[in-house]
Amino acid sequence: MDTLTRIRAFIDVVEAEGFSAAARKVGRSKALLSKYVRELEDDLGALLLNRTTRQFSLTEAGHIYFRTASDILREIDNLADLVREGSKDVRGRIKVSAPRTFADAAVGQSLIDFAVAHPDVTLEIISDDRFVDLVEEGYDVAIRITRLEDSGLIARKLAPFSLIPCASPEFLEKHGPITHPSQLAGIPGIIDTNGRFLNNWRFENSDGSALSVSVNGRLEVNSPLAAMRAAEAGLGVAVLPDFVFREREAKGKLTPILDGYMSNDRGIYAIYPHRRYLPAKVRAFVDFLTQWFKNAA
């Protein structure tokens, strides 16, 4: 029996969190997967899974084996992709993490356009606002909107990014011109709880020094799209991602304020693990997004 087949069976069972779920996912019988895993354990002389009729869990040895075996199989698959790359065919599954705001906004069309352009690729998009662990959780790529920090990951900048404070024309008419961040302490703000600093909004003076303003308001949301709609309704000042603001700017329902007080050191990045063999499908995905954003600029 092929050892790789047994290892793949073990990984399928762990990722599906059970033999029955794995059997449905990969199209093999539960009995066959159980046989493969049992043979793998016999070869290793170690128990990898604790399994009863009601419980399923990894042993300590199973945890170690799963992490290492997953990396090895991924490298084998990546090497196969590399060899096939000359055929120009891009195929396989790509697991992508993207912030909900990105996926739901117009820029999320970039992901859909890639799927249309590559019919042999299965694109699994997980919209999640947390920073996932790409290696531990088995992601191929993550889209992140952030300041770039040093890590063991590879980052490719897709587009610049900025935050834009804004309010409705009616709100500004009522509260007067807002020309300095300090004025925000005395007027309603819309708090996006997805933001890193919550109601402690950060700005930057012309000399580069940091400026923090405590903002209060009667609406807190965990979505920039909801914050945008609240700002359009005149409920306060919102700080929106530039790609969200631009979708509505032409309609005249929001007016940008405090130009020059927001830092411009953020970007939209494609992040992927450092690997000896970068899969052709991942390279094609990142190249596609890079070109998509160039065309959209």
Side-chain angles (χ1 to χ4, degrees):
M1 174 57 61
D2 183 2
T3 300
L4 286 179
T5 300
R6 293 170 179 159
I7 294 174
R8 288 188 190 277
F10 168 69
I11 291 173
D12 287 336
V13 169
V14 174
E15 290 181 341
E17 299 182 349
F19 286 90
S20 297
R24 290 191 295 270
K25 179 180 177 181
V26 302
R28 286 180 167 174
S29 71
K30 177 181 174 182
L32 184 60
L33 292 179
S34 181
K35 175 178 177 289
Y36 287 163
V37 173
R38 188 171 58 253
E39 290 174 344
L40 179 62
E41 290 176 324
D42 289 343
D43 286 345
L44 296 171
L47 185 67
L48 301 177
L49 297 174
N50 292 313
R51 45 198 185 274
T52 66
T53 55
R54 294 189 177 182
Q55 284 189 319
F56 169 91
S57 63
L58 285 165
T59 64
E60 183 178 354
H63 277 290
I64 296 170
Y65 194 83
F66 174 72
R67 287 196 299 269
T68 305
S70 297
D71 290 341
I72 292 171
L73 277 187
R74 191 176 294 117
E75 286 298 306
I76 291 172
D77 291 339
N78 292 347
L79 180 57
D81 281 344
L82 190 66
V83 172
R84 290 193 295 261
E85 189 173 356
S87 69
K88 304 300 182 183
D89 293 332
V90 178
R91 62 181 68 248
R93 174 179 290 270
I94 304 177
K95 187 176 180 181
V96 181
S97 171
R100 289 187 179 91
T101 302
F102 181 94
D104 292 342
V107 289
Q109 184 65 36
S110 59
L111 305 177
I112 306 305
D113 289 347
F114 174 82
V116 171
H118 297 87
D120 292 328
V121 170
T122 298
L123 193 61
E124 181 183 0
I125 304 168
I126 309 296
S127 296
D128 200 328
D129 292 319
R130 68 185 177 91
F131 274 18
V132 300
D133 187 316
L134 272 69
V135 176
E136 287 291 327
E137 299 180 54
Y139 284 91
D140 295 295
V141 186
I143 307 299
R144 290 183 179 170
I145 304 170
T146 184
R147 292 184 178 92
L148 188 61
E149 298 179 357
D150 291 335
S151 70
L153 303 172
I154 307 300
R156 184 154 165 196
K157 190 172 184 177
L158 303 176
F161 171 81
S162 61
L163 292 168
I164 299 181
C166 58
S168 70
E170 295 78 14
F171 182 89
L172 293 174
E173 184 176 345
K174 177 180 178 180
H175 291 274
I178 301 173
T179 58
H180 192 271
S182 60
Q183 294 174 257
L184 297 176
I187 58 178
I190 300 164
I191 312 302
D192 182 354
T193 55
N194 269 338
R196 183 177 177 184
F197 300 108
L198 300 178
N199 68 326
N200 191 29
W201 291 3
R202 304 294 179 91
F203 298 89
E204 192 174 90
N205 289 308
S206 57
D207 61 2
S209 61
L211 173 64
S212 177
V213 179
S214 181
V215 178
N216 294 291
R218 60 188 182 89
L219 184 62
E220 296 183 1
V221 296
N222 67 343
S223 163
L225 298 177
M228 174 195 71
R229 289 191 289 270
E232 290 179 338
L235 292 178
V237 173
V239 177
L240 302 178
D242 55 2
F243 54 79
V244 171
F245 173 80
R246 291 192 191 106
E247 289 183 34
R248 311 292 285 189
E249 183 179 19
K251 296 187 177 182
K253 294 184 176 181
L254 291 173
T255 301
I257 60 173
L258 301 176
D259 183 39
Y261 283 100
M262 301 299 292
S263 64
N264 58 1
D265 59 350
R266 297 177 176 89
I268 302 175
Y269 293 91
I271 310 286
Y272 48 94
H274 178 75
R275 291 173 179 156
R276 185 178 180 185
Y277 306 111
L278 179 65
K281 61 188 178 183
V282 173
R283 184 181 295 110
F285 177 75
V286 175
D287 287 346
F288 183 94
L289 293 191
T290 301
Q291 189 59 50
W292 192 95
F293 276 95
K294 284 183 180 178
N295 295 340

